[in-house]
Amino acid sequence: MRVIKYVFCVALLASAAPVLAAECAIEIDANDQMQFDKKAIDVPKECKSFAVTLKHTGKLPNNVMGHNWVLTKTSDLQAVAADGMSAGMANGYLKSGDSRVIAATKLLGGGQTDTVNVDVTKLSPGESYAYFCSFPGHSAIMKGSLKVAG
Ligand code: CO
């Protein structure tokens, strides 16, 4: 009887582990070579909010090598990037009030960091999302995919 109790206890702990392990935050680095250090992000479905911290590890200022982290549906990426370019530096290269933008950090220069919280309850598990930098010309290289996983 004592052994059975022990086995039950271990099984209970094992089943609880994935929930406890759900990491609802990530750091993504961007550098002076116009690169993000991650090509894909999986958001655990257990997370209600997912914090993305963008860190510009380079030295160049944001008017030369600006980086932000912008989340949209994959199908909206190109149009949001194009409208962002027209919006200009003063607006952080994003059209103001753009409802296609799910989340976005500030436009950073070297040495700067910003965190944005993604509302996971607004993401669909079946949808394809993309993140990118909206600084002119950067989204061709600085982009990745994001999905709700688990
Ligand atoms: Co950039």
Side-chain angles (χ1 to χ4, degrees):
M1 190 61 201
R2 201 175 163 163
V3 172
I4 291 167
K5 253 188 189 168
Y6 174 76
V7 169
F8 178 72
C9 218
V10 168
L12 203 67
L13 283 172
S15 67
V19 177
L20 294 173
E23 188 75 48
C24 298
I26 199 166
E27 183 185 295
I28 180 162
D29 293 355
N31 60 26
D32 282 344
Q33 284 73 50
M34 210 195 289
Q35 291 163 332
F36 283 133
D37 70 344
K38 290 174 182 70
K39 290 284 176 202
I41 296 174
D42 283 348
V43 177
K45 70 175 190 325
E46 292 85 4
C47 301
K48 285 191 169 63
S49 181
F50 188 78
V52 176
T53 297
L54 176 66
K55 189 176 170 188
H56 191 322
T57 61
K59 290 194 164 66
L60 297 169
N62 71 352
N63 61 332
V64 177
M65 185 54 70
H67 299 315
N68 56 7
W69 186 92
V70 180
L71 180 67
T72 64
K73 286 181 183 175
T74 302
S75 54
D76 287 334
L77 187 157
Q78 284 199 319
V80 171
D83 287 348
M85 208 181 293
S86 307
M89 174 84 187
N91 294 303
Y93 295 110
L94 284 177
K95 189 173 114 181
S96 66
D98 193 333
S99 60
R100 298 166 298 184
V101 174
I102 299 164
T105 66
K106 287 180 237 168
L107 187 74
L108 307 179
Q112 296 181 314
T113 297
D114 190 33
T115 299
V116 68
N117 290 303
V118 178
D119 184 351
V120 181
T121 63
K122 287 183 178 166
L123 302 180
S124 311
E127 184 67 54
S128 168
Y129 298 96
Y131 60 87
F132 64 100
C133 173
S134 69
F135 191 95
H138 287 199
S139 66
I141 298 165
M142 297 188 77
K143 64 181 172 187
S145 60
L146 181 145
K147 67 176 194 297
V148 180

